[in-house]
Amino acid sequence: MTVRTLHLLGSPVLRQHAAPVARVDDAVRQLVDDLFETMRAAKGVGLAANQIGVARRVAVVDIGEEDPPPLVLINPVIVERGDELETAEEGCLSIPEIFGDVERHARVVVEALDRDGKKFRAEAQAYKARAIQHEIDHLDGILFLAHLSAVKRSLLLAKWKKARKGQTGYLKEVTPEPAGEL
Ligand code: NI
């Protein structure tokens, strides 16, 4: 397993619609393991392949539950969305130190392939449902900023640009980050 370099806001791969995985082979399993390793090193609760520069439909979610175990999401599709919406603050490992309130479905049912290529269906609520929606958004090239009002988004973008002043490039070697970012 390898801790991979994170791609930050501005990296074109974050805007790409990731391609489906045709077959879950050793290379895909390696990608899954690297996603977990990188997410944990960065103290995140989810990570999508785009965020390590790979535009394939693979993501992981680990909100710290022991049972059920962390989620591996290969070619995930949300097949059910509860009517209830919930607003909560979100962050993203690709946009460090930037947070905004995002409205999400409080309950979703997701279908995906697991690390063995086996299809499964999982229901999630609250924070876990939020993390799943956030990661699947990444696979569609969508960042949480897209869910904010134009005013809020431009405020946060200005804050981001100010914080990034003098820094070039959109790659970040992983060093410990505050917990709780998706
Ligand atoms: Ni994110």
Side-chain angles (χ1 to χ4, degrees):
M1 287 194 279
T2 312
V3 174
R4 305 271 292 259
T5 302
L6 280 176
H7 284 240
L8 303 182
L9 179 62
S11 173
V13 70
L14 293 177
R15 302 289 186 189
Q16 272 182 45
H17 194 273
V21 169
R23 195 168 72 88
V24 179
D25 56 14
D26 284 347
V28 172
R29 277 186 277 277
Q30 179 71 59
L31 176 58
V32 167
D33 294 347
D34 288 356
L35 282 169
F36 274 122
E37 188 82 348
T38 307
M39 177 190 71
R40 286 177 181 140
K43 306 261 194 300
V45 297
L47 193 65
N50 305 50
Q51 295 179 274
I52 58 169
V54 179
R56 301 188 73 187
R57 303 190 78 77
V58 181
V60 297
V61 169
D62 183 1
I63 62 159
E65 297 172 311
E66 276 179 33
D67 183 33
L71 268 182
V72 174
L73 299 168
I74 300 172
N75 297 344
V77 178
I78 292 175
V79 293
E80 269 182 60
R81 292 172 172 84
D83 291 334
E84 192 196 336
L85 299 173
E86 240 171 31
T87 300
E89 188 173 75
E90 275 183 36
C92 180
L93 292 175
S94 292
I95 323 170
E97 315 294 327
I98 299 292
F99 302 92
D101 286 336
V102 179
E103 188 179 74
R104 302 276 188 190
H105 294 274
R107 175 186 159 271
V108 295
V109 177
V110 65
E111 275 184 7
L113 303 178
D114 66 14
R115 197 177 174 282
D116 299 316
K118 217 176 93 192
K119 194 171 179 178
F120 70 95
R121 176 185 270 244
E123 181 178 341
Q125 310 215 17
Y127 190 50
K128 191 173 185 181
R130 174 172 299 278
I132 290 168
Q133 290 167 85
H134 179 113
E135 299 316 327
I136 293 178
D137 267 0
H138 271 302
L139 302 180
D140 292 330
I142 296 166
L143 300 172
F144 81 85
L145 298 175
H147 294 287
L148 308 178
S149 70
V151 171
K152 183 69 184 167
R153 183 164 54 246
S154 47
L155 278 173
L156 289 179
L157 283 172
K159 190 180 168 196
W160 167 256
K161 278 177 191 146
K162 199 174 164 200
R164 295 271 300 158
K165 214 173 174 185
Q167 293 178 67
T168 54
Y170 304 107
L171 300 178
K172 182 189 174 196
E173 301 308 323
V174 175
T175 50
E177 290 288 337
E181 296 179 31
L182 301 179

